[in-house]
Amino acid sequence: MASSSTSSKVEPNADDGVTEEEVLEHFDDFTIASSWERFISEIEAVCRIWMTDGPKRLLEKGSVLLGYSKNSYKVKSELKYDMKSYCMEYYFETNNNGKPADWRSAFHDLQLCFGVKEFLVITPQSASSVVLDAPEASKLLSAVAVALSNCSSLWPAFVPVHDPSREAYIGIQNMGTIFTRRFEADRIGTQVPIRLMHLEGLYELFVSKFAYSMLDLSTHLFKVQFALKLTYRMLPYDDDNIKGIDAQSTNSGENLTSEASRETLWDNDCPWGEWYSAEDPVKGFELITIWSEKMVESSMEMAELENASPYEAEKWLISPCAPKLFEGFKWNQIGFASRLHLLVDALKMSFKAQFMQNFVSGVQLTDSAYGGHKTSRAIKGAPLESLFAQFCLHSLWFGDCNMRAIAVLWIEFVREVRWCWEESQLIPRMPANGSIDLSTCLINQKLQMLAACIEKKCEMNEDYQDCIGSEDQIESMTEEESVVGDDSFNKQLCSGDFSGEVDSFPTAGDIHYSVRTVSAFSGKPEDADLFNDKKPSDCTRRGSAGIVDSMMLLKSYESMHAPYTQEAPLMTEDMHEECLQNFSAQVERDTLASDMSAFKAANPDAVFEDFIRWHSPGDWVEDDLEVEMSKDNWPPRGRLSKRMCENGNLWRNIWNSTPALPVSEQKPLLDPNREGEKVLHYLETLQPHQLLEQMVCTAFGAAADTLIQTSYGELKQMETMMQQLYLTMAPALRPLQVNRLSADSETIEDLRRLCVVFQHVEKLLILAASLHRKFLQAPRLAKEIFSDFYNFYIPRMGIGLTEDALKKEFDKKHEVWNQEREVVSNMLVEPTADQSWRKVLSMGNLLNGHEPILREIIFSLHDGVNGNHYATPTASVSQQKIETYRMYICGTSNDLRVALSVVSCD
């Protein structure tokens, strides 16, 4: 009640000094005379501002996004009353779609308990954030109710009461007419009564709130709307099985690291399983079965429903148990990325010494404060299966992968390689295919060269033994047999008829690379003339690989034969660079001389022009290309090029000084002994930073090539991410190939950032593999779960994320189709007899012998307002039905929470 006193207007009195402007109208508002009324007024003022602004303007003013939903926000205001401070929070949504009974959307706890949309919560600013005094709670709720009524607001308001562990609330809501809804929630945290463990007893509990207390609820019919949600926890393994294995191994004294125990690892046959065992990122799944909008009339129906199979549920939803990929983002974790980060640190450390032995001799060096795919060809490393790649991968797990450990391993590695060389044993994982891959790192090229040298060395030893055996055999032959044999052999070679005949390709015993030096001509013109004057009948054709089509010798008009030639000597990258820098033509000269000797042996009547026509056709100029080759126009009209006709031409000089020797009698272009020792000298004197630069490139490439072999199904996002990883690695590792790094180079930091990217990709790949294995028979679910988690994870891959962003859990649910239910249910392994005896099964609705870990029920009763003497006579209201009773029940056999809302006419 308010009273007003208006002071009468009087004439101004000059003596009193009172002017006309100072005479004011005065109003006394007695509705805010007390502190409680002023408290109501403050609540009302805040609520009016929130109502006026609406959700859009509240978002602009900095409302807080709630973690459980992307459409839920809250704003808060601080209030004071009776020397106490309170906090009033307004929860609202930008999208009001969805009902709490559909179980799919994420809701606030009070929304799920009472079925409300937007609401107020007023809490004391204390350690417990609950009102422990019952009169204070009632007075506080009354103040909020009065304020909301003055604002004509329909927001429900709640006050937390009792002990925080009980999660108890009381609340009230003005429904706009004469109806008021009251709320109450409480929790039993101890042993739940047996009657309330079953659906039948819970149904009777709800009916007792509106039925006469004298009735036998089990014999009367009450139509009640009913919704049920059962949550099952599906783990990849059973805790009881693990405990049993532990107990058995402890009693028997067995070591769990044996092969038998290793078979229990989930990733035992994964590509990375050879190097480390990753923790399964999917700890399990939560399966939700839902019965919605069901009408029940008696306790018997509830008892039948408790025995119903979960397969009868209307909807199945599955959600992974929050893969915790963000936890422990430190470099002490097991995985390729963390070990690669250690290798990068070792690279920085390698610049502090010049020789490997310095890291092994005990010299104290201050360490840092840190306590084969197709596209992988762009990374200049070594193939995954090569020896050096395997060395790099093993070094990641050798010791702490520091510089000292790598130095010890490298020295022992080189010692083993030298043993292979000295004992002429093939190097493991290095096939001697007679080629060097220049796209790989230099160490891998050197090892390929050494493997080729060992192979040549073994062939030389075999040929030497064959020569000794053949000499003994010749000595045992009679003189007549040897003469006859020589004559027949010479007649066959000197017959002159070579048309269509091809000499057989020499075998390893026929072509041998003799280490003796074959005497060459002195190079004098008379020596060349003596050689050229030999008649065809006096010469034998040796080392022919076959006739060259449509080419005849210029002097003798015989078919030209292509000779067997030596392959070009193998050269590594540094050898090619040395040749270019020193302009050395010795290798080319030796190769050319070898080809000329072989050509002369295959074509005894050949001249220099014949060799040019076969070996370098560009240096033979035809006079008339239209003249056909025949006996009438022989010899062909042509001439040597200008450079071949110059005086003192190098090619002609080599031709004149080169004897006719087939490949089998020539000195090999590659000296395996000399080149092998050069390779070992390089490996033994390699500087630490040069080794680490090549190790980093190879280790990154080998790790990526190992991971990409993982089977993860048709997950396109993972395939794209792996390709992007290779594209990111190539430019980041390119500076390591120029050999211009230093300890303070920015490349070191770039490599550390690359390790972070690698770790993100590695985590997602392991998750993809885990999902693929679990849903082999339901690939659609694996795709949807990974796709949603991929979209959830990618924005959080940044380095500078806040802790709140990292703490958000992935909780999206996916619907299970009917044909997929059998696959999902099989993930719940049936318990053994011992496990069934130990487990207390008391809630019903068993799935493969397992009861739900959580049961949620919503009972509701709707009544019409027609005929109520408080109701307004409008047609729309008289035909309206409202939810007069609603009860939300959540819990297990050891925990039960009940939330009740009742509509009454006040």
Side-chain angles (χ1 to χ4, degrees):
M1 189 67 183
S3 64
S4 62
S5 60
T6 306
S7 58
S8 59
K9 187 175 181 180
V10 298
E11 295 295 332
N13 190 344
D15 297 336
D16 297 336
V18 179
T19 62
E20 185 175 359
E21 289 80 2
E22 294 177 345
V23 181
L24 303 175
E25 184 178 3
H26 181 69
F27 177 79
D28 294 329
D29 187 0
F30 292 105
T31 59
I32 57 173
S34 64
S35 59
W36 187 71
E37 292 172 336
R38 286 192 294 272
F39 181 56
I40 295 176
S41 179
E42 292 179 10
I43 297 175
E44 180 181 346
V46 173
C47 292
R48 288 185 183 276
I49 294 175
W50 290 344
M51 293 175 63
T52 304
D53 289 341
K56 292 185 178 179
R57 293 197 61 185
L58 289 177
L59 293 178
E60 297 174 358
K61 290 184 176 182
S63 55
V64 179
L65 176 65
L66 301 179
Y68 59 84
S69 174
K70 61 181 180 180
N71 297 320
S72 300
Y73 299 84
K74 74 173 180 178
V75 291
K76 65 180 180 179
S77 178
E78 295 184 359
L79 305 171
K80 288 187 177 181
Y81 168 64
D82 196 17
M83 303 300 294
K84 294 183 178 180
S85 297
Y86 297 92
C87 178
M88 185 171 65
E89 297 176 330
Y90 169 51
Y91 292 80
F92 64 95
E93 295 180 351
T94 57
N95 182 10
N96 290 328
N97 295 333
K99 298 179 181 180
D102 63 8
W103 311 107
R104 175 185 288 270
S105 304
F107 294 100
H108 188 274
D109 180 54
L110 293 178
Q111 290 178 317
L112 194 58
C113 287
F114 301 111
V116 296
K117 292 287 187 180
E118 48 187 0
F119 56 92
L120 295 176
V121 177
I122 184 166
T123 59
Q125 292 185 340
S126 60
S128 61
S129 297
V130 297
V131 181
L132 300 177
D133 184 45
E136 179 187 358
S138 299
K139 191 173 184 179
L140 191 61
L141 188 62
S142 299
V144 178
V146 173
L148 292 176
S149 179
N150 294 339
C151 298
S152 299
S153 173
L154 303 182
W155 294 342
F158 300 95
V159 175
V161 294
H162 305 307
D163 186 80
S165 62
R166 294 173 59 176
E167 301 178 4
Y169 287 89
I170 59 173
I172 192 170
Q173 179 186 15
N174 178 21
M175 303 187 64
T177 56
I178 42 78
F179 295 104
T180 301
R181 177 179 281 122
R182 300 184 182 275
F183 308 96
E184 185 176 1
D186 206 343
R187 175 173 172 265
I188 302 176
T190 58
Q191 183 63 38
V192 178
I194 297 179
R195 187 175 66 90
L196 299 181
M197 292 182 185
H198 302 281
L199 295 181
E200 182 180 0
L202 295 175
Y203 168 81
E204 295 177 357
L205 174 64
F206 174 69
V207 172
S208 66
K209 300 300 178 181
F210 58 86
Y212 293 107
S213 59
M214 300 300 295
L215 295 177
D216 185 2
L217 301 180
S218 61
T219 59
H220 288 74
L221 302 179
F222 301 94
K223 290 186 178 181
V224 174
Q225 287 187 353
F226 167 80
L228 174 63
K229 171 186 174 183
L230 301 176
T231 303
Y232 299 86
R233 178 70 54 85
M234 298 182 294
L235 299 177
Y237 49 82
D238 196 290
D239 293 337
D240 295 331
N241 290 335
I242 299 300
K243 293 178 182 178
I245 294 175
D246 293 340
Q248 183 178 0
S249 62
T250 303
N251 296 333
S252 59
E254 296 179 355
N255 188 0
L256 286 180
T257 59
S258 62
E259 292 296 330
S261 62
R262 181 172 175 80
E263 294 179 356
T264 62
L265 300 177
W266 76 275
D267 59 347
N268 187 33
D269 56 347
C270 290
W272 66 81
E274 180 182 356
W275 307 103
Y276 67 93
S277 178
E279 184 180 3
D280 193 342
V282 182
K283 298 300 183 182
F285 294 89
E286 286 190 354
L287 174 64
I288 299 174
T289 60
I290 298 174
W291 287 264
S292 60
E293 303 298 332
K294 187 177 182 65
M295 185 70 70
V296 293
E297 296 184 353
S298 65
S299 301
M300 296 299 296
E301 290 187 30
M302 298 301 298
E304 294 176 0
L305 186 59
E306 184 172 321
N307 297 323
S309 171
Y311 284 95
E312 301 177 8
E314 299 175 10
K315 186 180 298 183
W316 278 26
L317 301 176
I318 191 171
S319 175
C321 295
K324 298 180 181 179
L325 300 188
F326 302 111
E327 290 187 357
F329 193 85
K330 300 178 181 179
W331 294 116
N332 58 357
Q333 301 298 312
I334 296 299
F336 280 123
S338 59
R339 313 307 292 187
L340 289 172
H341 190 272
L342 294 176
L343 187 61
V344 172
D345 288 344
L347 171 62
K348 183 177 181 180
M349 186 74 175
S350 65
F351 292 93
K352 298 183 178 181
Q354 188 174 3
F355 302 103
M356 284 293 176
Q357 289 74 10
N358 294 348
F359 294 100
V360 186
S361 60
V363 178
Q364 296 297 327
L365 299 174
T366 57
D367 205 342
S368 61
Y370 165 72
H373 187 251
K374 292 185 297 183
T375 54
S376 66
R377 302 292 294 177
I379 303 173
K380 198 173 180 64
L384 175 61
E385 298 301 328
S386 65
L387 179 62
F388 184 62
Q390 294 298 308
F391 167 82
C392 295
L393 292 178
H394 278 284
S395 65
L396 295 178
W397 277 271
F398 184 73
D400 293 332
C401 193
N402 52 26
M403 193 58 231
R404 179 181 176 86
I406 293 174
V408 171
L409 189 61
W410 175 253
I411 293 174
E412 186 64 26
F413 173 79
V414 176
R415 185 181 293 115
E416 292 294 326
V417 172
R418 174 168 283 281
W419 180 87
C420 292
W421 164 252
E422 293 176 349
E423 300 295 330
S424 298
Q425 298 293 326
L426 297 179
I427 301 178
R429 295 180 177 271
M430 294 303 298
N433 52 11
S435 63
I436 294 180
D437 189 356
L438 297 179
S439 65
T440 61
C441 64
L442 186 56
I443 293 179
N444 187 70
Q445 296 178 36
K446 293 292 184 181
L447 292 174
Q448 288 178 333
M449 171 69 81
L450 187 61
C453 291
I454 293 176
E455 184 184 28
K456 298 295 183 184
K457 190 177 177 182
C458 293
E459 291 180 357
M460 290 169 54
N461 295 335
E462 292 176 0
D463 292 338
Y464 178 73
Q465 296 296 332
D466 293 341
C467 289
I468 295 177
S470 61
E471 290 178 0
D472 296 339
Q473 184 177 3
I474 291 174
E475 291 178 358
S476 63
M477 292 173 61
T478 62
E479 182 178 356
E480 294 179 358
E481 291 175 347
S482 62
V483 171
V484 173
D486 291 341
D487 292 341
S488 61
F489 182 72
N490 292 335
K491 290 179 180 179
Q492 180 181 0
L493 293 178
C494 298
S495 61
D497 186 11
F498 296 98
S499 177
E501 295 183 0
V502 179
D503 294 350
S504 61
F505 189 88
T507 62
D510 298 327
I511 295 182
H512 61 278
Y513 298 88
S514 177
V515 295
R516 64 183 179 86
T517 304
V518 180
S519 61
F521 284 96
S522 60
K524 296 180 181 180
E526 54 268 27
D527 295 334
D529 294 336
L530 291 174
F531 179 79
N532 294 329
D533 290 340
K534 291 183 178 181
K535 297 179 180 180
S537 59
D538 299 333
C539 301
T540 59
R541 189 185 308 277
R542 296 174 297 169
S544 173
I547 297 176
V548 181
D549 295 338
S550 70
M551 293 191 71
M552 312 290 289
L553 298 179
L554 295 177
K555 298 299 183 181
S556 63
Y557 189 60
E558 293 181 353
S559 299
M560 181 183 294
H561 285 249
Y564 289 114
T565 60
Q566 292 193 57
E567 295 182 357
L570 298 177
M571 297 178 66
T572 57
E573 189 177 57
D574 59 336
M575 297 171 65
H576 282 286
E577 293 177 356
E578 183 179 358
C579 291
L580 293 176
Q581 293 175 0
N582 299 332
F583 300 99
S584 175
Q586 186 61 38
V587 177
E588 289 79 1
R589 181 187 178 95
D590 295 341
T591 304
L592 183 60
S594 173
D595 293 345
M596 288 182 176
S597 295
F599 186 82
K600 285 183 176 182
N603 302 279
D605 296 329
V607 294
F608 177 67
E609 287 78 2
D610 292 324
F611 177 76
I612 295 299
R613 292 167 58 217
W614 170 72
H615 191 277
S616 181
D619 287 312
W620 178 260
V621 182
E622 297 282 354
D623 290 343
D624 190 358
L625 299 178
E626 297 180 358
V627 178
E628 297 182 0
M629 190 68 63
S630 64
K631 295 183 178 180
D632 298 336
N633 53 26
W634 188 261
R637 300 176 184 179
R639 63 185 186 280
L640 295 175
S641 64
K642 183 178 180 180
R643 74 182 185 109
M644 291 296 175
C645 295
E646 296 176 353
N647 293 330
N649 180 265
L650 178 63
W651 283 47
R652 185 176 289 276
N653 293 336
I654 297 175
W655 173 267
N656 294 334
S657 62
T658 300
L661 292 175
V663 173
S664 59
E665 300 179 11
Q666 293 181 13
K667 176 184 177 180
L669 296 176
L670 175 67
D671 186 352
N673 293 297
R674 182 182 71 250
E675 296 300 332
E677 289 296 336
K678 288 170 64 176
V679 170
L680 290 171
H681 176 73
Y682 168 81
L683 297 177
E684 291 171 345
T685 60
L686 188 64
Q687 295 185 7
H689 72 90
Q690 294 176 340
L691 170 64
L692 266 296
E693 289 170 0
Q694 299 181 60
M695 283 185 63
V696 169
C697 288
T698 302
F700 268 100
D705 290 342
T706 300
L707 293 179
I708 203 170
Q709 298 177 13
T710 304
S711 176
Y712 48 78
E714 299 178 0
L715 302 180
K716 300 299 183 182
Q717 300 96 332
M718 198 65 251
E719 182 178 352
T720 302
M721 178 161 281
M722 288 301 300
Q723 294 177 357
Q724 292 176 349
L725 176 63
Y726 281 104
L727 297 177
T728 305
M729 289 166 53
L733 298 175
R734 191 171 294 118
L736 299 178
Q737 305 170 15
V738 298
N739 196 17
R740 297 178 181 176
L741 289 183
S742 63
D744 300 329
S745 175
E746 294 182 359
T747 304
I748 302 296
E749 295 301 323
D750 293 339
L751 293 175
R752 287 174 176 169
R753 286 188 286 268
L754 179 62
C755 292
V756 176
V757 176
F758 199 102
Q759 187 180 50
H760 287 303
V761 177
E762 186 176 11
K763 287 183 176 181
L764 283 175
L765 184 70
I766 294 175
L767 173 65
S770 178
L771 291 174
H772 175 64
R773 286 167 171 264
K774 293 175 174 61
F775 294 102
L776 284 175
Q777 305 300 325
R780 184 194 66 86
L781 283 175
K783 288 182 181 179
E784 290 192 0
I785 294 175
F786 182 80
S787 178
D788 289 337
F789 187 83
Y790 178 85
N791 297 330
F792 170 81
Y793 186 85
I794 290 299
R796 293 164 173 78
M797 285 180 58
I799 300 176
L801 289 178
T802 61
E803 293 185 1
D804 294 338
L806 295 179
K807 288 181 180 178
K808 293 182 180 179
E809 295 184 351
F810 176 75
D811 58 353
K812 191 166 185 179
K813 302 175 180 61
H814 303 82
E815 184 173 357
V816 180
W817 292 353
N818 291 336
Q819 60 270 27
E820 299 169 336
R821 292 188 176 186
E822 186 69 26
V823 176
V824 174
S825 63
N826 290 336
M827 298 174 67
L828 269 176
V829 181
E830 294 187 7
T832 62
D834 182 51
Q835 294 170 352
S836 300
W837 177 79
R838 282 182 289 168
K839 292 182 178 179
V840 179
L841 305 177
S842 56
M843 296 177 60
N845 298 113
L846 301 182
L847 180 60
N848 284 1
H850 296 267
E851 67 177 7
I853 62 170
L854 185 66
R855 179 171 58 191
E856 298 176 72
I857 306 170
I858 296 179
F859 292 107
S860 61
L861 181 65
H862 291 75
D863 286 334
V865 299
N866 187 21
N868 193 302
H869 66 280
Y870 290 106
T872 55
T874 59
S876 60
V877 176
S878 61
Q879 297 177 0
Q880 181 182 2
K881 281 192 174 183
I882 62 174
E883 189 179 55
T884 55
Y885 292 89
R886 185 183 191 275
M887 179 179 287
Y888 170 79
I889 303 172
C890 173
T892 63
S893 59
N894 297 319
D895 186 11
L896 184 65
R897 188 182 184 195
V898 179
L900 178 65
S901 63
V902 180
V903 175
S904 60
C905 299
D906 293 340

